[in-house]
Amino acid sequence: MTQFDRDIAIGKWLGPVTPAPFQPARPDTSVEIGDLWRILVRRRVLIIGTACVLGLLALLYAFLTPALYTASAQILIDPRDRQVVTNDVNPGALAPDGGVAQIESQVRVVESDSVLLRAIAATGLETDPEFGAPSESLPARLVGNLRRALFGTGESPVDARTRALTSLRRKLAVKRADKVFVVDVIVTTRDAEKSARIVNAIAKAYLTDQSDSRAEAAKRASGELRSRLDDLREAVNKADMRLEAFKAENGLIASSGRLVGEQQLTESNARVVAARTRTAEAKARLQGVRDARGQVIGSGATPEAVQSPVIERLRGQYAELASKEADLRTNLGERHPYIAATRTQMQDVRRLIEVELNRIAGAADTEYQRALAAERALAAELERLQKASAVTAKSSVRLRELEREVDASRAVYNNFLVRSREIKEQAGIDTTNARVITWARPPQDRSWPPRIVLIVAAILSGVGLGTGLSLVREYSDPTVLSQRQLERLANAPVVARLPRLNRAADGTTHAAAAFVLDHLTGARRGASAGNSLSLLVTSSAADLRDRRAVIDLLASVAVARGDRVLVVDADPRGPGSGRGGLLDVLRGEQSLNAVAVQDPATGARRIGLGDTHKPVRDALTPGNVERFLAAVKGRFELVAVDGGTLSENLRVAPVAAAADRVLLIVRDGATRQRDLLDIVETSESLGQPVSASLLVDARGRER
């Protein structure tokens, strides 16, 4: 029912009413830690039930699922292959990423069809029922018949090896830990021995596959090189033929690796240089002879150019004659005939020396002329060779180009020939640097299902799921969780908190009820004179029992204190509807004493709603209600009216408007906030907001 509908319904009973202004309240979904724990405790049945269901399912699964056994082996794969030879087909250098990509590639190789098919053939998995082979057992035949019935017989036949390969892939796991070169091969089957046997077969198949692939790569490379050698050999021969043809066409004859013309030019140049040297020496000797004339007679050293035995001997004679002539001149005087004879001999010796010098000078001049002629001839020959070299210079450029082509072709051919021979020999050498460091052994314990772990995990998951469902249900339809939350929603203080009133009340409960009466009566005294209190008690429809229990408790406490109490049951769902009661008194059909009865449980006087078959609108008018309350308050100190659910029982709107106080009964953790807000909004619309709230503990307390 909307606020507009409530206003219209209230207007039917009260006439034009101007409700007090208020802000529409909203459900308070804020939950504290204590409130959260209370939610979980209140919905413990859902949580425990969910945990038990999941735990039971896990238990059934653990005992019905066949046991699985996992075996594993470890293969060490070094990305740096063994370098048996220098020029290996598979280089052993590490990749820039440290070989990680290569190890990841080897993991894929272990999972490849070639390796797994080798392992399948070695272990005979084609005939194993666990790996797809047909089984002769009755359950297997039933399953096969059911499959054929559902899917028909038009399925394409599947090879046994393909079925085994597909099943093995589902049971195989190849892993590599970070920053290591060790690969773990893991297989899970229903038999421990079978798991270990398959893992070891896969490891052996991998090593065999690597060895075969390396040998195959070497053979393939060798074959490709051999097929290329014929082309390279033909290219070398063609290059040689072009070179020789070009030499023949241009007269470029080579000797000892050099062209003849170049050799002749070099030798001619050397001879010219030597001839010039000899000419210079001959000229220097001739000049020395010419300069030595008239000097060789003296006592000085003989020039090198005129050194000869004849000159030396004549000089010796001349020296002796000069010595003799000096002795004679000293002994005999200047005019002695012996001195004249000696001087004549000296002149003869001088003349002979001069003749000898002339002869030496002539020989030197002849030698000089001969050397000069030879130099001129060699210079002419050198000039001719230089001209011939200039003519063949252009041809030498093309010649060198052809020679480079021949050298390059021959070098490539030699490299290919050597490499082909090396690779051919490498085909029989295994350079794979991989080995099995841990062979698989049959496991002693099953790997699946881990019963204890499954059951514990299922129970914990059930607790979590139940908790989530509880919170979802709580947030989808929130309830009142705490006293502070109730005060925020009802805009009224919570005067007391009572235990659940489904048993006999004790002293603590009576004390709390007495405090409630004192609080409400004291507030009433502050409002007007007199000690009588008219109290309208309301709650949600779900809290009907608690509302009635609270009314009975308040009535019994007030009676025990000596007060006169009248309980008016204005709830249409109450036991007093249909017989004489409030409506009959308001119509004037019966008196209060006639319809009021003594309640033996509480000692209070009690009246019901009355006859509801007659028109109610004429009886429940504001004037009738106010006169009724004024009359009964003169006779009773407490008039407690059970207003039912105020948002639904709008017929008691005049009673609520005329009552001194409105008491709201809320059950902790059970009353829906939506119902509570409806009552609060209805009360505020009537101009009589909720005066106080009473919180009943839904959990109860042990006494």
Side-chain angles (χ1 to χ4, degrees):
M1 180 179 292
T2 63
Q3 182 64 35
F4 180 72
D5 294 336
R6 292 194 187 94
D7 293 340
I8 293 177
I10 295 170
K12 292 180 180 179
W13 300 100
L14 301 179
V17 177
T18 303
F22 68 95
Q23 294 294 333
R26 296 181 180 179
D28 187 359
T29 57
S30 60
V31 179
E32 299 178 357
I33 299 299
D35 298 337
L36 180 62
W37 175 250
R38 297 178 61 191
I39 293 173
L40 299 180
V41 172
R42 184 163 53 86
R43 301 193 182 271
R44 60 186 177 275
V45 176
L46 176 61
I47 298 174
I48 296 175
T50 306
C52 291
V53 170
L54 291 183
L56 180 59
L57 293 177
L59 182 63
L60 293 175
Y61 174 80
F63 280 97
L64 295 179
T65 302
L68 299 179
Y69 297 89
T70 300
S72 63
Q74 291 182 331
I75 304 176
L76 175 62
I77 304 175
D78 193 341
R80 298 169 297 183
D81 294 328
R82 292 180 298 173
Q83 295 296 307
V84 181
V85 293
T86 304
N87 297 322
D88 197 355
V89 178
N90 303 287
L94 280 174
D97 57 355
V100 175
Q102 185 176 352
I103 299 301
E104 291 294 338
S105 301
Q106 294 303 313
V107 171
R108 297 296 181 267
V109 171
V110 175
E111 298 174 340
S112 64
D113 291 351
S114 60
V115 174
L116 296 184
L117 288 176
R118 288 175 184 266
I120 289 172
T123 54
L125 298 182
E126 303 95 330
T127 59
D128 192 337
E130 187 177 355
F131 288 86
S135 178
E136 299 299 330
S137 62
L138 179 59
R141 290 199 301 270
L142 292 177
V143 172
N145 294 333
L146 180 60
R147 185 184 295 110
R148 285 191 294 271
L150 293 177
F151 301 102
T153 57
E155 297 179 283
S156 59
V158 180
D159 184 26
R161 297 180 64 192
T162 303
R163 286 197 301 265
L165 179 61
T166 304
S167 300
L168 181 57
R169 285 189 182 280
R170 291 197 297 265
K171 302 176 185 297
L172 172 66
V174 181
K175 302 178 180 179
R176 183 188 71 86
D178 190 20
K179 298 181 180 180
V180 297
F181 296 150
V182 177
V183 176
D184 296 324
V185 182
I186 305 170
V187 173
T188 303
T189 65
R190 299 177 184 175
D191 183 77
E193 296 286 344
K194 185 193 301 181
S195 299
R197 187 171 66 255
I198 294 174
V199 170
N200 292 332
I202 292 175
K204 293 178 182 178
Y206 168 73
L207 297 179
T208 303
D209 180 79
Q210 289 296 294
S211 178
D212 293 348
S213 63
R214 302 273 176 139
E216 182 64 26
K219 292 179 181 178
R220 185 169 59 253
S222 178
E224 293 175 355
L225 289 176
R226 284 197 302 270
S227 63
R228 183 61 179 159
L229 282 176
D230 296 334
D231 298 336
L232 294 176
R233 188 183 299 108
E234 184 178 356
V236 171
N237 294 333
K238 289 182 179 180
D240 283 334
M241 293 176 63
R242 286 195 301 270
L243 177 62
E244 296 301 329
F246 182 79
K247 288 181 178 180
E249 291 175 359
N250 295 274
L252 302 175
I253 301 173
S255 175
S256 301
R258 296 180 61 190
L259 294 177
V260 175
E262 293 179 354
Q263 293 180 0
Q264 291 178 350
L265 181 61
T266 302
E267 294 174 356
S268 178
N269 186 39
R271 287 195 296 269
V272 168
V273 172
R276 288 176 178 172
T277 302
R278 289 193 298 270
T279 301
E281 292 175 353
K283 184 177 180 181
R285 188 174 181 180
L286 177 61
Q287 186 65 31
V289 172
R290 290 176 178 174
D291 295 340
R293 288 181 178 179
Q295 298 180 4
V296 298
I297 307 300
S299 60
T302 304
E304 183 180 359
V306 295
Q307 287 181 357
S308 74
V310 176
I311 295 297
E312 291 297 328
R313 188 171 56 255
L314 291 176
R315 288 188 65 194
Q317 291 178 5
Y318 184 81
E320 291 177 357
L321 291 175
S323 177
K324 184 179 179 179
E325 188 266 339
D327 291 338
L328 291 176
R329 187 172 60 248
T330 302
N331 296 323
L332 299 179
E334 289 287 338
R335 297 185 178 277
H336 194 278
Y338 286 156
I339 295 175
T342 301
R343 289 177 178 175
T344 301
Q345 290 178 357
M346 290 176 63
Q347 290 178 356
D348 292 337
V349 172
R350 185 187 296 274
R351 181 179 55 79
L352 291 175
I353 290 174
E354 188 68 23
V355 171
E356 183 64 24
L357 287 175
N358 289 334
R359 186 187 65 78
I360 292 174
D365 183 62
T366 302
E367 183 180 357
Y368 169 70
Q369 294 300 327
R370 188 183 298 114
L372 184 61
E375 178 187 351
R376 291 173 179 173
L378 291 174
E381 180 65 19
L382 177 62
E383 184 178 0
R384 183 185 67 81
L385 291 175
Q386 287 177 347
K387 292 180 179 180
S389 176
V391 173
T392 59
K394 296 181 180 180
S395 300
S396 299
V397 176
R398 177 59 179 167
L399 176 64
R400 287 190 294 272
E401 181 180 355
L402 293 176
E403 288 177 346
R404 286 193 296 269
E405 290 181 0
V406 171
D407 294 339
S409 299
R410 185 175 291 109
V412 173
Y413 173 74
N414 292 334
N415 290 335
F416 269 68
L417 182 60
V418 173
R419 187 63 171 156
S420 176
R421 298 286 177 83
E422 289 181 351
I423 293 177
K424 184 177 180 181
E425 297 300 326
Q426 293 175 21
I429 301 176
D430 184 13
T431 60
T432 305
N433 200 4
R435 60 189 179 92
V436 179
I437 58 176
T438 303
W439 292 97
R441 295 182 179 180
Q444 301 297 324
D445 300 325
R446 69 180 70 191
S447 60
W448 189 264
R451 294 177 179 175
I452 301 300
V453 176
L454 279 180
I455 295 173
V456 172
I459 293 175
L460 294 179
S461 300
V463 172
L465 179 60
T467 302
L469 293 176
S470 301
L471 295 178
V472 168
R473 290 188 60 182
E474 185 64 33
Y475 278 104
S476 62
D477 190 8
T479 60
V480 177
L481 298 175
S482 64
Q483 179 177 337
R484 185 182 305 173
Q485 190 181 56
L486 176 57
E487 291 177 349
R488 288 198 301 265
L489 293 172
N491 294 325
V494 178
V495 294
R497 184 185 185 96
L498 299 178
R500 191 169 184 178
L501 302 175
N502 55 353
R503 291 172 294 178
D506 58 3
T508 304
T509 306
H510 284 285
F515 175 78
V516 172
L517 290 175
D518 292 340
H519 176 80
L520 296 175
T521 304
R524 174 59 186 156
R525 289 196 188 102
S528 60
N531 295 330
S532 298
L533 172 67
S534 59
L535 178 65
L536 177 70
V537 182
T538 182
S539 69
S540 65
D543 301 332
L544 182 145
R545 293 181 57 185
D546 292 324
R547 183 180 71 246
R548 292 177 180 174
V550 168
I551 293 174
D552 293 342
L553 176 63
L554 295 177
S556 62
V557 171
V559 171
R561 294 194 308 183
D563 294 339
R564 292 167 295 176
V565 179
L566 174 65
V567 177
V568 180
D569 191 357
D571 186 4
R573 302 177 182 178
S577 62
R579 62 175 184 267
L582 176 62
L583 296 178
D584 299 319
V585 175
L586 293 178
R587 293 190 192 101
E589 296 177 353
Q590 294 187 21
S591 64
L592 178 62
N593 293 331
V595 297
V597 295
Q598 186 75 23
D599 186 2
T602 61
R605 305 285 291 179
R606 182 182 297 273
I607 64 173
L609 181 59
D611 189 2
T612 57
H613 297 290
K614 296 179 181 181
V616 179
R617 182 177 182 181
D618 296 336
L620 286 173
T621 62
N624 291 340
V625 172
E626 291 178 359
R627 286 191 295 271
F628 171 77
L629 291 178
V632 298
K633 288 171 66 176
R635 298 174 53 185
F636 300 95
E637 283 78 19
L638 175 63
V639 180
V641 181
D642 184 359
T645 303
L646 191 59
S647 58
E648 299 177 359
N649 189 22
L650 295 178
R651 289 182 294 184
V652 299
V655 180
D660 294 332
R661 308 293 287 171
V662 176
L663 179 63
L664 179 62
I665 308 301
V666 177
R667 190 151 54 103
D668 186 13
T671 302
R672 297 167 57 191
Q673 294 186 17
R674 189 175 305 169
D675 298 338
L676 175 63
L677 292 176
D678 289 342
I679 296 174
V680 173
E681 292 177 1
T682 303
S683 175
E684 292 179 349
S685 299
L686 294 174
Q688 185 67 282
V690 175
S691 305
S693 300
L694 189 62
L695 192 61
V696 179
D697 194 349
R699 297 173 296 173
R701 276 189 314 194
E702 295 296 332
R703 303 296 180 191

